[in-house]
């Protein structure tokens, strides 16, 4: 692009980014408010009375139209308030079943960021190291069996579904061989299988 067209190009790119962000947020918000079922029923349980469910829906604003709830969520999100979790922090006791004091979403997300960054960073280092080594091998021996093997490994790694690969690795290394834990967080052993799966 010529220099005089750069502001137009950047504005168009930024506009496209904003529209994509809005579209994704609408789809995700709609899906998360329609598919999982009634949050009030999830919070209070199947034994809850209709009065308790209605009161909790009213407290959480679940009786409002979806578009109005989305607008309230966007307004709050722009101020750093992502609402409360329908899963964490609600009281399940019959005596105070109508309390709607769920844990705010932002602290829950922030508490998981260190583990997420550690896993993503480890997977990135593994993927980069493997890519450089395999790429150099393929470049050193073009059109050889090594080059063909690297191409097959690359195609297979791009094609395989991550959650399936993760389950296979758990079955082999955790269940069958007993070498690594099946899940959890805390030691380097917990990091190996998820990082390999992502890498």
């Amino acid at each position: 692009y010529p220099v005089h067209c750069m502001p137009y190009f950047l504005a168009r790119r930024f506009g496209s980014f904003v529209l994509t962000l809005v579209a994704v947020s609408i789809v995700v918000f709609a899906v998360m408010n329609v598919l999982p079922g009634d949050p009030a029923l999830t919070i209070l349980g199947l034994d809850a009375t209709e009065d308790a469910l209605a009161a909790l829906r009213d407290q959480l604003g679940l009786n409002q139209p979806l578009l109005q709830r989305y607008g309230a969520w966007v307004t709050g999100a722009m101020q750093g308030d992502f609402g409360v979790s329908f899963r964490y922090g609600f009281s399940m006791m019959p005596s105070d079943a109508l309390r709607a004091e769920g844990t705010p979403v932002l602290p829950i997300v922030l508490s998981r960021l260190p583990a997420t960054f550690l896993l993503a960073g480890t997977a990135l280092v593994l993927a980069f190291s493997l890519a450089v080594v395999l790429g150099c091998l393929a470049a050193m021996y073009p059109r050889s069996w090594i080059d063909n093997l690297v191409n097959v490994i690359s195609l297979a790694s791009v094609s395989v579904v991550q959650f399936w690969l993760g389950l296979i690795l758990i079955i082999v290394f955790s269940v069958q061989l007993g070498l690594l834990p099946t899940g959890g967080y805390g030691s380097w052993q917990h990091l190996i299988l998820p990082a390999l799966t992502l890498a």
Side-chain angles (χ1 to χ4, degrees):
Y1 281 91
V3 175
H4 67 277
C5 293
M6 284 303 287
Y8 171 73
F9 171 75
L10 292 175
R12 202 175 77 185
R13 282 293 206 171
F14 182 74
S16 174
F17 167 73
V18 170
L19 286 176
T20 303
L21 198 61
V22 169
V24 168
S25 71
I26 289 172
V27 169
V28 170
F29 187 85
V31 167
M32 293 307 296
N33 279 271
V34 173
L35 288 185
D38 185 4
L41 193 61
T42 303
I43 293 164
L44 296 181
L46 297 173
D47 297 331
T49 63
E50 278 302 319
D51 291 339
L53 291 171
L56 186 58
R57 286 186 198 111
D58 190 50
Q59 282 182 316
L60 294 175
L62 298 174
N63 294 331
Q64 298 172 351
L66 190 62
L67 196 59
Q68 188 175 344
R69 288 191 321 205
Y70 174 74
W73 178 80
V74 168
T75 304
M78 292 173 118
Q79 299 168 3
D81 177 17
F82 294 93
V84 296
S85 169
F86 291 150
R87 183 173 175 187
Y88 298 99
F90 281 93
S91 173
M92 298 284 193
M93 301 302 292
S95 59
D96 51 5
L98 298 184
R99 282 173 44 206
E101 300 175 0
T103 305
V105 170
L106 192 58
I108 296 172
V109 172
L110 292 177
S111 70
R112 271 112 172 129
L113 279 183
T116 303
F117 286 143
L118 178 62
L119 176 58
T122 306
L124 188 62
V125 168
L126 279 174
F128 183 75
S129 303
L130 284 171
V132 168
V133 169
L134 292 177
C136 288
L137 282 173
M140 287 169 58
Y141 305 102
R143 289 182 290 281
S144 67
W145 68 270
I146 295 176
D147 187 21
N148 291 333
L149 181 63
V150 168
N151 285 334
V152 168
I153 291 171
S154 300
L155 184 61
S157 66
V158 170
S159 303
V160 73
V161 181
Q162 285 182 348
F163 68 83
W164 178 83
L165 177 62
L167 290 174
I168 295 301
L169 290 176
I170 288 172
I171 290 169
V172 172
F173 291 101
S174 299
V175 178
Q176 298 295 328
L177 300 176
L179 297 175
L180 296 167
T182 57
Y185 172 69
S187 69
W188 62 270
Q189 287 102 337
H190 292 99
L191 195 59
I192 293 174
L193 292 183
L196 276 176
T197 303
L198 288 176

